[in-house]
Amino acid sequence: MKGTNLGEFEELVLLVVAVLFDEAYGVSIQEELSSRCDRNATLSTIHVALHRLEEKGYLESRLDGATNERGGRRKLLFRVTKSGKRALASAKEMRNELWQSIPKSAFNLSV
Amino acid sequence: MKNTVKNKSPQWMRTLLSNFLESRTLEASLGDLEEKFQGRLRNGLSPWKAKLLFIAEGLGFLRMTRLKSDASVQTTINMIRHTFLFFGRLVRKDWSYYLVSMLGLTLSLTSFIFIMMFIHDELSYDQFHDDKDRLFRLTTHLKLSDVEYNLATSQFPAASALKSEIPEVDLAVRVFPQEIEFALNDKKHRESIIMADEYFFDAFSFTWLAGDREEALRNPASVVLCERMSKKYFGSEDPVGKTLLVYDQPLTVTGVIEDVPKQSHLKFGAIIPLQYQLNAWKRETGLEGRENKWFWVGTYTYVRLRDATVLNDVEAKLPFLINKYFPDRYKQGGAFHLQPLSDIHLTSALSNEMEPPGNILYVRLFSVVGVVIMIVSAINLVNLSSFKISSRMREVGIRKFLGQDTIRIIMQLSTESMLIGLLAFAIAIILCNIFLTSFNNLVQKELNLFSFPNLLIGGITLVIILLISLMAVVRPAIRYAAKTSRTLLLQRSGDPTHAGERNILIGFQVCFSFVLLVFSFIVSSQIDYFKNKELGFDKENVMLIELSEDIYGHVEAFKSELAKSKKVIEVSIGVAPGSAHHGWRFVPEGGSEEKPFLFPLAWVDYNYLNTLKIKLLKGENFNPLDLKKDSLWSFLINKRAAMELGWADDPINRRMKVFAAGTTEIMAEGRIVGIIDDYHYESLHKPVKPVVLTLNDGFGTAMVRVADGSLQETIPFLKKTWTKFSEQPFTYELLDEQLDTLYANEVKLSNLILFFTVIALYLTCYGMFALSSLLFRSRLKEVTIRKVFGANQLNIITQFYSRYAAFTLAAIVTGVPVSFYVSNLWLQTFEYRIHIGSTFFFLAGGCVFIVGLLSVSYYLMLVAFSNPIKFLRSE
């Protein structure tokens, strides 16, 4: 029903989830995004993106790891699925292809 | 312990989220929020900031809300969609009916909003002063030689007398309006300003923008500017402390106030302390000024009472002032009154008003017209929708058969009706916006749709229209929805039981438009009468040129220069008819100085009678040589003045003395040289008053009579001559146009009435047209059957027409006394008025009758000339 292409922000979140591997949940993703990518996103923005990615089948989630710090709430931990991996790979491939097709003179001229 | 409470995240936020999020998201989001909250606290962020961030981030999660899928919600959504779909189909199927009814509704809403805005504006005059309930204006009522004078003004010393004699009077402020030329560098403009006592701003609440309110008028050489004046002279600079020149004397700007609201009877661009003017008078005359005498009724006096309840006590004390201070000849019949500030604009009928007041009669008239237009369109809507619904009986039957419940059906029908109302309202607002400028021109106001009170008017109109559209369907909807589907499906359509009621409603509309039409005929013929009445002088082909000071020394040269053109027939300099003639006190020979006559006096030159073609009855015209012997003045008096003096038979060569204005001294003595015919030098609202003309070498206005039809060609010549004598720009008016402006109020009324008459007529026509379409449709079969049996077309047509003609005629006859009463009420306010002849009624009646029959004719013809086979087959 929904489109399966990746938005720019979604792609970032998906990559961060992959980077964090088994420790990917709201707060850690937010910190990672701000330290590595210089992107300040609110928690709800991230959760919306995660939810959408899960609907598209690129992420799977489980509830685990309640701590005192979290007021006894469990974390919603995410992991990239196989189709998520494929989507990332194809996005990367498409970019590479595009990069390679740029004529050399294009950037020289524009500078 | 306190610490833990402080460091807890807000509980209500958590509860809020738990109401909206599904459990999995809720668990994760609350955990994440809490974790960040604790992290922030650890990093040393103050608890309230952390809480604020918690709330802000928490609110963000609300977008993840999942609507619980509820069957009832889904049904409602479907139903609304269905209503719109069905409404769209109905409109497409019968678009002409919906277009016509929408147009009627829109027009009536538009005019209703306009009327309400107009009325609100009229009623809100002078309401913005904080002390408006305690503020009054002192009015003076005098009776001199049997003529009553009701004046808005009072004497200069009255203010201090009130203050010292009557303890309940809190403040007494004099206001003296004037036109003054302000100058700053090369900027020079004439401005209308007021001069006022120091305490002006204590009494009246104008909004201050800069300067000290308390001190602003203390120094006589100061001026307080309105915002627009300040912009005009100083641009964006702060004007406070700077100086403006008034007749070469510097005035310091001590304050700036917001522009005076439109709804104020006091209108001015600046305020100068009255003391400034008093000082100037003292300097010029060297005497104790005339402003200290009780003769001159020349200033406006406003009074603030300690509170509004003591009004009667104060009124009771006013006669005491009359006895103590008034000069003897004013005492008999003299009176003071206190007029509430809010009465000034609408209900005052006094002379010397600062601006032409509104008229409460018009406000009442328009309220009635507005309400009736609304009622008429409500009637149309009720009439038509009840009929429309009865033709949808089958549809309702099928709906019930398929299981829709009664409430839903009623809701569906009322939603449809309210949609029409809403749409009409939206179009009306757009129309209001488009026509606002024209309407403002029509009523000479600056109304704005999107200001506070008018938005409220819009809101109220919206509620009214929604109520009306609801009312229109609820009764028939309930009647049909309550029946069983079987009755509905089997019953034949058409519901003639309410035909009588419907006819009465339509008759009411016909009657209303008839009354309006008669009234608008009468108003416009009264205006024609004003413009064409014989005035006692010839107003055509006369140009008025206001002389400037640099011409006064060369008046004769100027006149002879003008006379060089062949097109110029006569030139005279003096006071033009239609402009103010001030009253002076005359003592006839043998009369007592204690009882002088108050006659308006005009200084004119020897050519005045010839130029204006005023008839000389007895004696002779002014002799230019009389000017040289300045000991004795020459007077020409009109018939009316001669009668009042008691000299109707033989006034020639009798003497009269004139008092100097505002004093007890005799200024001059004069001899009556002739009697002239009465002429209307004032508007025709008033009867002809006595007038005295006296010879002068001429100042005021030049009146130039030119040859017939050569007004336009003489303008360049006049202008050229003017520039030889004066550096001021050349301006001119035409005497007849100038006189027409005296009736601007009536013209305004006439325009408005005409506008509403057209709307009312349209509404009536559309009501009759639409109703006839529905009625004839229901009688199509009857007619066709009759035709089959051999009825001829003429027969059918006369039968239908006679029915309509009967009730239209009945409505018109009912309207005759009503329209007579209303028109008579209006005409009674004029001294010279037209006679209400039967022509008006026949004309208006004929119009309404023909228009009404025409609007039913379309469907009538359609039925009468139809081919019977076509309609019989359709069943």
Side-chain angles (χ1 to χ4, degrees):
Chain A
M1 208 165 83
K2 297 213 168 171
T4 45
N5 58 328
L6 278 177
E8 188 260 356
F9 185 69
E10 283 174 2
E11 192 182 341
L12 270 184
V13 172
L14 198 54
L15 281 170
V16 170
V17 172
V19 168
L20 287 170
F21 186 48
D22 226 11
E23 269 305 309
Y25 69 100
V27 178
S28 69
I29 294 171
Q30 190 187 30
E31 281 165 2
E32 204 67 12
L33 270 174
S34 92
S35 66
R36 280 186 188 243
C37 318
D38 207 20
R39 282 286 282 260
N40 288 317
T42 59
L43 276 176
S44 53
T45 314
I46 290 166
H47 272 280
V48 170
L50 287 170
H51 187 79
R52 218 174 286 146
L53 286 168
E54 197 176 3
E55 270 187 350
K56 289 176 186 173
Y58 297 155
L59 287 178
E60 54 187 12
S61 65
R62 67 197 150 90
L63 281 168
D64 202 1
T67 60
N68 217 16
E69 195 189 24
R70 292 174 60 83
R73 306 267 179 193
R74 282 175 294 167
K75 291 171 183 167
L76 192 62
L77 289 167
F78 289 90
R79 196 186 281 173
V80 182
T81 59
K82 273 192 190 138
S83 66
K85 198 182 144 198
R86 266 204 301 278
L88 275 175
S90 77
K92 194 186 166 195
E93 202 173 307
M94 189 183 70
R95 263 164 221 237
N96 284 341
E97 232 167 70
L98 282 172
W99 271 104
Q100 276 157 14
S101 329
I102 299 173
K104 275 203 180 125
S105 51
F107 286 143
N108 289 339
L109 272 178
S110 65
V111 168
Chain B
M1 283 300 105
K2 206 177 161 191
N3 210 23
T4 52
V5 177
K6 238 184 184 175
N7 294 346
K8 264 182 101 175
S9 56
Q11 172 66 41
W12 63 268
M13 193 69 223
R14 280 182 274 160
T15 325
L16 182 75
L17 285 179
S18 64
N19 276 333
F20 282 97
L21 300 180
E22 55 177 335
S23 60
R24 219 168 137 88
T25 327
L26 181 71
E27 183 84 7
S29 58
L30 280 184
D32 283 358
L33 284 170
E34 189 71 30
E35 190 180 330
K36 290 227 21 174
F37 180 70
Q38 296 298 340
R40 285 197 174 110
L41 283 183
R42 260 202 316 282
N43 289 344
L45 205 69
S46 57
W48 67 267
K49 265 189 189 165
K51 274 182 196 172
L52 217 64
L53 286 168
F54 182 94
I55 292 167
E57 282 195 306
L59 286 176
F61 276 101
L62 287 182
R63 65 183 135 157
M64 297 187 74
T65 306
R66 282 280 164 276
L67 271 178
K68 288 172 193 162
S69 48
D70 189 335
S72 71
V73 173
Q74 204 55 44
T75 315
T76 312
I77 292 173
N78 279 344
M79 206 193 91
I80 291 171
R81 197 180 293 163
H82 174 84
T83 308
F84 276 98
L85 187 77
F86 221 84
F87 180 63
R89 283 181 193 160
L90 275 175
V91 172
R92 228 175 309 152
K93 196 176 119 195
D94 209 355
W95 63 270
S96 62
Y97 161 79
Y98 283 96
L99 187 76
V100 174
S101 71
M102 183 79 87
L103 195 60
L105 212 52
T106 309
L107 275 183
S108 55
L109 280 178
T110 312
S111 40
F112 184 73
I113 292 176
F114 274 148
I115 292 176
M116 287 301 137
M117 270 161 58
F118 172 81
I119 290 172
H120 176 266
D121 187 80
E122 284 285 296
L123 291 180
S124 62
Y125 260 72
D126 295 308
Q127 297 293 316
F128 59 92
H129 299 295
D130 294 340
D131 295 333
K132 61 175 172 7
D133 300 331
R134 297 154 63 200
L135 283 170
F136 298 86
R137 183 169 70 178
L138 187 70
T139 61
T140 315
H141 307 267
L142 300 175
K143 196 172 177 189
L144 302 173
S145 48
D146 285 337
V147 182
E148 278 185 35
Y149 295 87
N150 297 309
L151 306 167
T153 45
S154 43
Q155 294 97 328
F156 274 85
S160 62
L162 274 173
K163 188 91 175 54
S164 58
E165 302 279 357
I166 303 178
E168 287 91 342
V169 171
D170 194 20
L171 270 180
V173 180
R174 291 171 293 181
V175 171
F176 187 65
Q178 251 191 319
E179 281 218 344
I180 277 190
E181 194 172 79
F182 282 89
L184 181 79
N185 306 326
D186 54 336
K187 286 179 209 161
K188 241 186 197 179
H189 302 284
R190 276 187 86 76
E191 309 283 357
S192 34
I193 62 142
I194 55 170
M195 304 197 155
D197 279 324
E198 207 180 311
Y199 307 106
F200 181 78
F201 289 110
D202 294 332
F204 297 102
S205 326
F206 291 101
T207 318
W208 276 77
L209 296 177
D212 181 4
R213 194 175 70 92
E214 302 279 314
E215 296 290 325
L217 297 177
R218 196 143 300 170
N219 182 357
S222 47
V223 58
V224 174
L225 299 179
C226 283
E227 208 180 347
R228 84 186 138 81
M229 279 270 286
S230 156
K231 288 233 173 72
K232 192 162 161 190
Y233 289 94
F234 298 100
S236 52
E237 292 171 55
D238 179 15
V240 176
K242 301 208 168 66
T243 51
L244 276 173
L245 289 182
V246 169
Y247 301 133
D248 295 329
Q249 292 192 20
L251 292 184
T252 316
V253 178
T254 49
V256 181
I257 57 173
E258 257 180 25
D259 284 342
V260 178
K262 303 273 171 341
Q263 294 110 335
S264 167
H265 82 282
L266 281 168
K267 288 206 173 73
F268 52 87
I271 304 175
I272 294 177
L274 185 62
Q275 196 56 44
Y276 178 83
Q277 182 70 63
L278 301 183
N279 291 349
W281 280 334
K282 196 162 276 175
R283 248 192 340 267
E284 282 160 18
T285 58
L287 297 165
E288 198 188 358
R290 58 177 182 162
E291 71 276 7
N292 289 330
K293 302 282 195 228
W294 284 82
F295 294 109
W296 187 28
V297 192
T299 185
Y300 298 91
T301 307
Y302 295 89
V303 168
R304 189 176 76 185
L305 301 185
R306 266 208 328 257
D307 64 84
T309 53
V310 297
L311 176 64
N312 288 336
D313 303 346
V314 177
E315 282 266 6
K317 287 177 192 167
L318 289 173
F320 168 74
L321 286 184
I322 313 272
N323 277 332
K324 185 164 173 189
Y325 293 104
F326 267 30
D328 286 342
R329 63 198 184 82
Y330 282 0
K331 274 183 188 161
Q332 187 65 43
F336 272 150
H337 281 297
L338 290 181
Q339 179 184 33
L341 200 65
S342 41
D343 283 0
I344 291 177
H345 179 66
L346 280 179
T347 51
S348 161
L350 304 170
S351 316
N352 293 356
E353 278 292 353
M354 252 181 260
E355 59 162 21
N359 191 335
I360 191 77
L361 185 69
Y362 297 172
V363 172
R364 289 195 187 126
L365 194 74
F366 286 131
S367 335
V368 172
V369 169
V371 169
V372 175
I373 282 186
M374 216 55 206
I375 291 176
V376 164
S377 77
I379 290 173
N380 277 339
L381 205 67
V382 171
N383 251 343
L384 291 178
S385 39
S386 75
F387 209 93
K388 201 74 198 158
I389 285 180
S390 71
S391 73
R392 287 172 63 183
M393 222 152 58
R394 284 214 187 121
E395 178 204 323
V396 176
I398 290 170
R399 279 168 186 283
K400 287 210 85 163
F401 181 71
L402 292 178
Q404 197 166 29
D405 60 19
T406 315
I407 294 294
R408 282 263 153 83
I409 291 175
I410 293 171
M411 266 167 71
Q412 155 106 29
L413 293 172
S414 14
T415 321
E416 275 171 27
S417 173
M418 275 157 85
L419 268 178
I420 297 178
L422 214 61
L423 209 60
F425 179 75
I427 301 174
I429 290 290
I430 296 171
L431 281 185
C432 277
N433 256 327
I434 296 173
F435 292 112
L436 193 61
T437 352
S438 336
F439 185 73
N440 275 336
N441 283 339
L442 210 64
V443 297
Q444 279 137 42
K445 285 186 184 297
E446 288 171 45
L447 301 171
N448 177 9
L449 197 58
F450 295 102
S451 59
F452 159 70
N454 295 342
L455 276 182
L456 194 68
I457 289 170
I460 291 172
T461 317
L462 178 62
V463 173
I464 292 177
I465 185 61
L466 288 183
L467 279 180
I468 289 177
S469 38
L470 200 64
M471 224 170 60
V473 290
V474 159
R475 207 177 57 151
I478 290 176
R479 196 169 64 230
Y480 290 122
K483 284 181 184 162
T484 60
S485 60
R486 190 174 154 273
T487 357
L488 286 168
L489 283 171
L490 291 181
Q491 201 172 4
R492 285 271 161 263
S493 67
D495 179 27
T497 46
H498 292 282
E501 188 185 323
R502 242 176 249 140
N503 284 350
I504 287 172
L505 292 177
I506 289 281
F508 173 71
Q509 297 181 13
V510 174
C511 177
F512 172 62
S513 21
F514 170 73
V515 171
L516 267 185
L517 199 62
V518 169
F519 191 56
S520 81
F521 280 159
I522 282 181
V523 172
S524 63
S525 44
Q526 172 72 18
I527 291 171
D528 280 349
Y529 174 78
F530 275 151
K531 291 188 173 168
N532 299 327
K533 187 178 168 13
E534 196 58 52
L535 295 174
F537 62 94
D538 184 0
K539 63 176 179 174
E540 307 295 333
N541 297 319
V542 177
M543 280 200 213
L544 306 177
I545 306 168
E546 184 89 21
L547 295 186
S548 67
E549 273 173 42
D550 36 9
I551 286 191
Y552 283 148
H554 324 280
V555 169
E556 282 305 315
F558 179 63
K559 278 201 286 190
S560 54
E561 192 75 18
L562 283 177
K564 277 180 188 166
S565 165
K566 274 182 201 144
K567 301 281 181 199
V568 175
I569 299 173
E570 297 276 3
V571 183
S572 168
I573 291 176
V575 184
S579 53
H581 288 52
H582 297 290
W584 290 68
R585 284 165 294 141
F586 292 88
V587 184
E589 60 180 29
S592 138
E593 286 194 14
E594 291 305 310
K595 282 195 169 176
F597 288 82
L598 192 82
F599 290 149
L601 174 68
W603 270 280
V604 299
D605 70 359
Y606 53 86
N607 225 0
Y608 195 71
L609 298 191
N610 295 339
T611 308
L612 290 175
K613 300 190 183 165
I614 297 170
K615 217 161 106 195
L616 184 71
L617 294 180
K618 266 183 202 158
E620 52 200 30
N621 199 344
F622 289 130
N623 183 349
L625 296 176
D626 284 345
L627 261 181
K628 303 293 180 286
K629 0 172 224 175
D630 51 358
S631 55
L632 209 59
W633 290 13
S634 309
F635 293 132
L636 282 172
I637 60 176
N638 68 352
K639 230 163 50 182
R640 170 91 212 182
M643 254 167 57
E644 286 198 10
L645 288 164
W647 295 341
D649 299 328
D650 178 29
I652 311 297
N653 279 332
R654 297 214 190 219
R655 304 274 172 111
M656 284 199 299
K657 291 179 197 161
V658 196
F659 276 105
T663 63
T664 45
E665 285 158 52
I666 297 292
M667 181 169 67
E669 193 172 1
R671 172 179 79 92
I672 294 169
V673 296
I675 299 189
I676 52 174
D677 206 358
D678 288 339
Y679 68 102
H680 292 271
Y681 60 93
E682 287 182 319
S683 77
L684 289 165
H685 298 119
K686 294 171 199 151
V688 170
K689 280 210 227 140
V691 71
V692 178
L693 306 181
T694 187
L695 185 59
N696 187 272
D697 47 8
F699 69 86
T701 311
M703 286 152 272
V704 183
R705 173 171 295 285
V706 298
D708 200 12
S710 55
L711 279 171
Q712 289 307 317
E713 25 183 319
T714 36
I715 291 170
F717 168 74
L718 294 178
K719 191 171 180 179
K720 211 176 76 198
T721 318
W722 172 268
T723 40
K724 280 185 205 164
F725 289 89
S726 173
E727 290 172 358
Q728 302 290 327
F730 172 74
T731 54
Y732 72 95
E733 312 268 0
L734 298 177
L735 181 60
D736 52 349
E737 285 178 9
Q738 188 73 11
L739 289 173
D740 285 350
T741 59
L742 297 173
Y743 313 111
N745 254 335
E746 284 72 33
V747 173
K748 198 163 83 181
L749 174 76
S750 157
N751 289 340
L752 274 177
I753 288 288
L754 197 69
F755 174 71
F756 294 128
T757 310
V758 170
I759 286 181
L761 262 181
Y762 172 80
L763 286 178
T764 311
C765 289
Y766 124 70
M768 288 180 78
F769 172 76
L771 200 64
S772 71
S773 86
L774 297 172
L775 279 175
F776 284 133
R777 210 170 287 171
S778 71
R779 294 184 63 179
L780 246 179
K781 212 168 180 186
E782 176 204 326
V783 173
T784 21
I785 290 173
R786 284 215 240 164
K787 284 181 98 170
V788 170
F789 282 101
N792 67 2
Q793 276 143 6
L794 196 70
N795 242 330
I796 294 168
I797 291 174
T798 25
Q799 201 211 352
F800 275 124
Y801 263 138
S802 59
R803 186 175 149 196
Y804 273 87
F807 88 74
T808 311
L809 268 183
I812 289 173
V813 170
T814 327
V816 170
V818 181
S819 54
F820 183 85
Y821 174 76
V822 175
S823 314
N824 201 37
L825 203 65
W826 182 71
L827 284 177
Q828 288 302 327
T829 57
F830 301 108
E831 186 68 29
Y832 300 94
R833 51 182 178 254
I834 51 166
H835 171 69
I836 307 181
S838 52
T839 338
F840 294 114
F841 300 107
F842 281 120
L843 214 60
C847 277
V848 173
F849 188 71
I850 289 170
V851 164
L853 286 195
L854 275 182
S855 57
V856 298
S857 289
Y858 175 72
Y859 279 103
L860 197 145
M861 296 302 168
L862 210 68
V863 178
F865 292 105
S866 61
N867 182 354
I869 296 171
K870 208 169 136 197
F871 291 106
L872 277 179
R873 212 167 43 184
S874 78
E875 284 290 311

